[in-house]
Each structure stands twice: as C-alpha cells, then as structure tokens.
Amino acid sequence: MARTEDSTQDLLQAHLQLWHDSLGYIRSLVLAVALDLGIADAIHHHGGSATLPQILAKIDLNQSKLPVLRRLMNTLTVSGTFSIQHPAASSAGGCEAVYRLTAASRLLLSDESSTSLTPHLSMMLGPLLASPLGTVVSTLLRQDAPPDLSALGLAQGETIWDVADNNDAVLNESLHDAMASDTRFLIPIVLKECSEVFHGINSLVDVGGGPSGSAATAIAAAFPHLKCSVLDLPHVVAQAPSDGNVQFNAGDMFQSIPPANAVFLKWILHDWDNEECIKILKNCKQVIPPRDAGGKVIIIDMVVGSGPSDVKHKETQVLFDILMMAFNGVERDEQEWKKIFFEAGFKDYKIIPVLGVRSIIEVYP
C-alpha cells in the first residue's frame, strides 16, 4: 500500500507528539525534586506567594543555584503545579517574578496532613521506583560541583563529552545515530520551508556534522553550486565516506573553523554553556565575510517561548531544557540568545520559528 504524503505541518505535529510523550517522564522527576526541596512549603511560608530568592533562602540553597531553580520553576508553572506572576513591563529591572500556590501545590504542603499527597507521591517518585535522573538533578542543586560537570557527570564522575572523547564506541555510535536520525527528519523540512537561508552564499561548513555529513550532503544536493564541508573531531571524520560531494575536515570548533560564507550549527550550541558558546561563535565570526558579502551563522536550535503558543509546545521546550541538565547544556529564550550573540561580536540576528519547537536563527556580523 502506498504511503500517504504528509504535509510539513503534519510531520512537525507528529514529531512534536513523539518528543512530548518521550519527555513526559521529566515532569515526574521535576515534581520529585520539588517534593525533595519542599518548594511548596517554602512558598506557603511566605503566605502563598514568593520570589525565587525567597524560595532559595527558605530551602537553604545559596544564590548560585538560582538559575537551576528558575528552570525547574519554569516547568512547574507550565504544568500548573505553581502559578507565576511576571513583573509589569514598566517595572524596574530589579523586580522579581512571584510564584504562587495552586490547588495542586496546596496538596503538597507538609502541614496539611489530612490532604497532603506528599508521602504517596514521594514513594511513587522516589529512587526505588523512578529513574535516578531525578535524584541526580536534586544532587546538582544541593552539592557543590565543578562548573563543567553535568547532572550525569555528578553520577558518573565525567561528562558525556569526556566519555565520547575517550572513543567510547557504543556511546559515539548512539550519539551519531541519534543526530543523523534527527537530521534526516528535519533538513528536508528546512529545505522545503526556509530554503532562502541558503541563498546568496557559495560555501557552507557544517560544524559537528557527524561522520555521515547528512545535513551538508542534503544541502549540497539541493544547491549544487554551494560548496559544502563538515568540521568534526578526528575520530569522527575517520569514519566519514571518502567519496561524495562534501569535504570532511578534522578539527575542533573550540580551536578554529574552516573559512566559509556561512557556518551551520544544527543543535550544537544547546550542549554548551554561555562562555563556550561565545567562544564557538567568535571562531565562526573570524572565518565568515561581512554581512553584505553573504556572511552569517545559521543556527538550528530551540528559542524557548518562540513558535506556536499552545501548552504542548511550551511544555516540550521547558522539559527539554531540564533534560539538557544531564549534558551541562541549556535551552535558551530570545534574550539569552541575544546576549551571547552580542558578546561574541555579532551585530544582528533573525529568528525564523518554522520548525515546531525549534527555530532557525540567522546571526549576522
């Protein structure tokens, strides 16, 4: 039986459904962390509404943990466990968002013994029954750790990138298969819905394009005049095909990037903290021409808050942000992206939210 051709929106909606369902367990682990920290009791202590600094002080965490707590509270407010009141747009920059108890979070209060669900939920979400990732994220909040150690690093003693760099064949194959699968899904949609991002350039380098170079290969096939290449680590490039119309370069994006009109970064920057992203972007800026000569960086990544405004999209974005704690990564909103773009020396950018929960971002020197 012939396969029915799905529209772009059907494909993106199906993709969203599978991602949303796959990330659903993160809602459970975030709730487990909230129970462990006593966040509902901390808000109740302040009369049912509290700012992040007030919550931090009550649960006895230092101010350096505020960014992690904010990301957890993003998820808990999108899911409806707590509510949030943002400061007015006209307020001074120092104003804080206020988090409030809801009907759900009032059932988590330890002093409401007749109605509290905390003992039951703690059993269901505890380390005996649930994935240990929740315990690891809790540990990330509670213990001092090197700044470059991820949630998984706390459990294993090294980051996932350390393991990959040590030529762990199983992990490397798993990572590359996952990225290649995503590329096979996404790049045809990019070429169909936003091919203009590749107009006006004659060369492109795909940074971290993997041993198959599937994104660069698809782009080169769609634009035969475009000279496409891939930059990846030596042990990755060693597995690359020797034929084809894509050139493979062994190297390290933190050291240097081959010159091109455009640098392509698909799902790369969310793996790294701001300082490392700025370093990568500065290296990009060094090798591209001015904007009027076609120079730009093309990024595919999430822009939290961009795209469709329904709850499923928003929730998928914030759940993915929690997942990225496992890799010491982060999903960013527009202001966070803008900050690293400008600190890297770029002058302008454009967000094109046509990829479901992800966006294309063009960044100009």
Side-chain angles (χ1 to χ4, degrees):
M1 184 176 179
R3 182 178 179 274
T4 303
E5 185 69 24
D6 294 316
S7 71
T8 295
Q9 287 309 310
D10 288 337
L11 284 171
L12 290 173
Q13 191 63 34
H15 181 252
L16 170 66
Q17 181 67 49
L18 293 174
W19 262 20
H20 185 264
D21 290 349
S22 298
L23 293 168
Y25 73 97
I26 296 180
R27 285 195 298 272
S28 299
L29 80 83
V30 170
L31 180 57
V33 172
L35 291 173
D36 178 57
L37 295 174
I39 291 174
D41 284 334
I43 295 175
H44 183 61
H45 174 78
H46 289 280
S49 61
T51 64
L52 280 180
Q54 289 174 326
I55 297 170
L56 276 174
K58 183 59 182 173
I59 61 181
D60 199 27
L61 296 178
N62 65 54
Q63 291 295 312
S64 68
K65 305 299 182 181
L66 190 143
V68 178
L69 183 61
R70 178 178 288 112
R71 292 163 72 179
L72 291 174
M73 294 304 291
N74 283 345
T75 303
L76 290 163
T77 54
V78 168
S79 69
T81 305
F82 299 96
S83 65
I84 182 172
Q85 179 180 335
H86 294 283
S90 59
S91 299
C95 290
E96 290 276 349
V98 175
Y99 296 88
R100 303 185 190 280
L101 295 175
T102 63
S105 47
R106 280 191 286 271
L107 293 176
L108 306 180
L109 298 175
S110 60
D111 63 350
E112 305 291 333
S113 56
S114 62
T115 58
S116 178
L117 295 178
T118 295
H120 190 195
L121 294 174
S122 295
M123 181 194 72
M124 289 194 297
L125 297 171
L128 182 64
L129 300 178
S131 164
L133 184 55
T135 304
V136 171
V137 174
S138 236
T139 304
L140 182 64
L141 275 168
R142 289 191 175 278
Q143 86 177 50
D144 291 330
D148 61 345
L149 205 58
S150 65
L152 291 181
L154 288 171
Q156 300 174 355
E158 57 184 351
T159 70
I160 191 170
W161 310 120
D162 292 330
V163 178
D165 286 346
N166 289 330
N167 293 329
D168 184 300
V170 174
L171 175 61
N172 277 313
E173 183 177 1
S174 177
L175 287 172
H176 296 317
D177 285 351
M179 291 300 97
S181 171
D182 182 71
T183 295
R184 287 192 296 271
F185 168 80
L186 198 65
I187 294 302
I189 295 176
V190 172
L191 292 171
K192 180 181 178 181
E193 300 297 327
C194 207
S195 63
E196 62 270 18
V197 300
F198 303 109
H199 294 171
I201 59 175
N202 55 36
S203 61
L204 175 145
V205 56
D206 180 7
V207 175
S212 66
S214 50
T217 299
I219 295 167
F223 297 93
H225 72 280
L226 193 55
K227 180 181 178 182
C228 293
S229 61
V230 170
L231 171 72
D232 218 314
L233 295 170
H235 70 267
V236 175
V237 171
Q239 305 169 50
S242 56
D243 55 352
N245 57 351
V246 171
Q247 177 183 345
F248 287 82
N249 302 285
D252 184 339
M253 63 187 175
F254 290 105
Q255 301 299 321
S256 64
I257 293 171
N261 279 150
V263 179
F264 187 63
L265 297 168
K266 175 188 169 290
W267 237 9
I268 298 294
L269 297 180
H270 77 155
D271 290 327
W272 305 99
D273 65 23
N274 285 1
E275 183 178 342
E276 289 164 320
C277 284
I278 291 168
K279 186 181 296 185
I280 294 168
L281 288 167
K282 283 183 175 179
N283 286 343
C284 294
K285 187 172 181 293
Q286 286 181 353
V287 299
I288 60 175
R291 180 176 182 175
D292 57 8
K296 61 183 173 180
V297 179
I298 304 168
I299 297 169
I300 294 181
D301 236 313
M302 284 189 192
V303 180
V304 177
S306 289
S309 59
D310 61 279
V311 170
K312 188 175 287 187
H313 278 83
K314 291 171 62 179
E315 188 175 38
T316 301
Q317 288 178 332
V318 296
L319 290 176
F320 220 97
D321 180 44
I322 297 297
L323 178 64
M324 291 311 298
M325 288 185 186
F327 309 102
N328 205 34
V330 58
E331 303 297 351
R332 297 173 171 90
D333 62 26
E334 181 174 354
Q335 292 307 308
E336 291 167 323
W337 281 116
K338 180 179 179 180
K339 182 176 186 294
I340 64 172
F341 294 156
F342 288 178
E343 288 191 19
F346 288 86
K347 296 178 180 178
D348 198 8
Y349 66 92
K350 179 170 69 173
I351 296 172
I352 311 170
V354 295
L355 302 179
V357 293
R358 285 178 284 184
S359 296
I360 298 171
I361 314 172
E362 290 186 299
V363 191
Y364 309 109

